[in-house]
Amino acid sequence: MDSVLRAVAVYAFLLVVLRISGRRTLAQMTPFDLVLLLIISEAAQQALLGDDFSITGGILVVITLLAIDIALSLLKGYVPSSAKLIDGLPMVVVENGALLQERMRRARIDEGDILESARETQGLERIDQIKFAVIEITGSITVIPKDR
Amino acid sequence: MPSTPPENDIWRNRTYPIKEDMAFQRATWRAERIGWAVLWLIVLLALLGLFSHGPLSTASVETPDGGLRVTYERFQRNGSPAEIRLEARPRSERRLAISLDARMLDAVTIETITPAPQAERAIAGGIELVFHAEPGAPLTVRLTVRPHKIGLVAGAIGIGASRPAELTQFVYP
């Protein structure tokens, strides 16, 4: 019983706290973010297992986490508004070569982030070559170039 | 130089290439900002000791006759060791008997007792620890306890036959 409750509590906590911190926080994997992620997982691991070193304990936690994950994905399928709540929605930040500044500020991204993604994925050099740039629910920026 | 669209156009819902819901998005941002404030508040409260080990958490009580002073953590965490300090001031006794009641023993595991008692025995409603004492010299006993019960935990610690000190602790999951 204990293992299941621990797993549910940690899953719910992480879901809320990662949603609060915003999708950009851990989406851009700088080396520091990678280390931060490892530390977070280490801290959460203690809470998940406590001093239970048994195989059963580990299996129960893994099964519970996966079961919640599957249940949530089913819920998202049946109730679309729950998906919106859990994952958020994508948002346009560049439209026909124009930056939507206020949106970018609120989403905590700058022109540099958009240009970086434009260079990396499309080989573009300037904002005016972009038709659309979209912040996806994963936090990454996707770029659609203008027709040349 | 990229052009900037007019202010009122910024929050219009785009339907292409993706379908937006900017009202929801802005509500999300507002919730996010509140969430950050809560995170900072939790950090501050943790520094102050709301989640054990800090000024808000340290508390002490005395037995009604003043013979024993108990310093303890008001807030503890399940499975995480905490210290309880007992300070006695013997007058002429060479032996001091400190008693812990059963409610406390049900809620925590006593991991270490320093100095080690000369004797431990079960008494009605708890246990008794007997220590060697020098008359007039203060005796300090440190207990390391590990809570295993969540929520409000009450207990009583006494010395000799006098009325014990009552203490209440809250154990976080």
Side-chain angles (χ1 to χ4, degrees):
Chain A
M1 184 190 92
D2 200 37
S3 310
V4 174
L5 293 181
R6 278 167 182 268
V8 172
V10 171
Y11 188 102
F13 162 73
L14 285 178
L15 189 70
V16 170
V17 90
L18 287 180
R19 190 82 171 88
I20 283 172
S21 69
R23 48 193 160 187
R24 291 297 290 173
T25 304
L26 288 175
Q28 271 179 317
M29 269 293 171
T30 63
F32 179 74
D33 289 333
L34 180 67
V35 174
L36 195 64
L37 196 65
L38 291 176
I39 297 171
I40 290 174
S41 63
E42 183 72 14
Q45 184 263 335
Q46 299 287 332
L48 279 173
L49 286 172
D51 50 8
D52 178 357
F53 297 111
S54 65
I55 295 176
T56 311
I59 289 176
L60 282 177
V61 167
V62 170
I63 288 178
T64 309
L65 290 175
L66 290 176
I68 303 169
D69 215 48
I70 294 167
L72 274 186
S73 70
L74 289 176
L75 180 74
K76 286 181 206 169
Y78 291 120
V79 189
S81 60
S82 69
K84 208 156 96 174
L85 208 61
I86 294 167
D87 292 333
L89 288 172
M91 180 178 72
V92 175
V93 284
V94 176
E95 194 177 38
N96 300 318
L99 295 170
L100 301 174
Q101 297 275 8
E102 192 57 22
R103 291 182 173 201
M104 288 162 55
R105 195 181 64 75
R106 299 271 190 102
R108 286 178 291 148
I109 61 158
D110 58 23
E111 199 177 331
D113 297 326
I114 297 172
L115 281 171
E116 182 188 316
S117 180
R119 287 193 299 272
E120 199 172 287
T121 59
Q122 301 290 341
L124 300 181
E125 294 152 14
R126 297 185 310 276
I127 293 287
D128 59 39
Q129 296 170 319
I130 298 174
K131 189 172 180 195
F132 292 111
V134 176
I135 306 187
E136 303 294 343
I137 56 174
T138 57
S140 63
I141 302 169
T142 52
V143 172
I144 302 163
K146 280 184 180 166
D147 302 323
R148 272 178 267 198
Chain B
M1 191 61 207
S3 61
T4 309
E7 175 64 25
N8 58 4
D9 188 51
I10 288 260
W11 305 119
R12 181 173 53 79
N13 286 334
R14 272 65 174 173
T15 50
Y16 184 85
I18 45 151
K19 211 169 166 319
E20 290 183 337
D21 181 350
M22 289 313 292
F24 174 79
Q25 182 61 59
R26 298 176 81 175
T28 305
W29 283 327
R30 276 194 293 278
E32 233 177 71
R33 299 309 188 262
I34 295 167
W36 299 350
V38 172
L39 295 185
W40 292 322
L41 187 69
I42 289 174
V43 171
L44 190 71
L45 290 174
L47 284 174
L48 290 176
L50 184 68
F51 306 103
S52 186
H53 306 296
L56 280 178
S57 182
T58 308
S60 68
V61 285
E62 268 185 37
T63 52
D65 67 352
L68 181 73
R69 184 174 187 79
V70 181
T71 308
Y72 63 100
E73 296 282 343
R74 201 174 274 138
F75 303 107
Q76 295 192 106
R77 300 175 202 162
N78 183 26
S80 169
E83 193 185 80
I84 296 180
R85 209 164 74 152
L86 310 171
E87 287 162 293
R89 207 167 257 291
R91 289 183 191 90
S92 58
E93 310 90 322
R94 294 207 149 271
R95 285 157 66 82
L96 283 179
I98 293 177
S99 61
L100 305 173
D101 79 337
R103 289 174 299 167
M104 195 160 175
L105 298 170
D106 283 340
V108 302
T109 308
I110 298 175
E111 296 201 319
T112 60
I113 304 173
T114 318
Q118 287 178 317
E120 290 176 60
R121 59 172 168 261
I123 55 170
I127 60 163
E128 190 175 65
L129 309 170
V130 181
F131 296 92
H132 170 76
E134 295 289 333
L139 172 76
T140 303
V141 178
R142 290 185 174 81
L143 307 177
T144 312
V145 297
R146 186 187 286 269
H148 52 71
K149 210 166 144 181
I150 294 164
L152 277 178
V153 170
I157 301 180
I159 189 161
S162 67
R163 285 236 332 267
E166 287 281 336
L167 54 106
T168 309
Q169 295 172 296
F170 181 78
V171 183
Y172 288 98

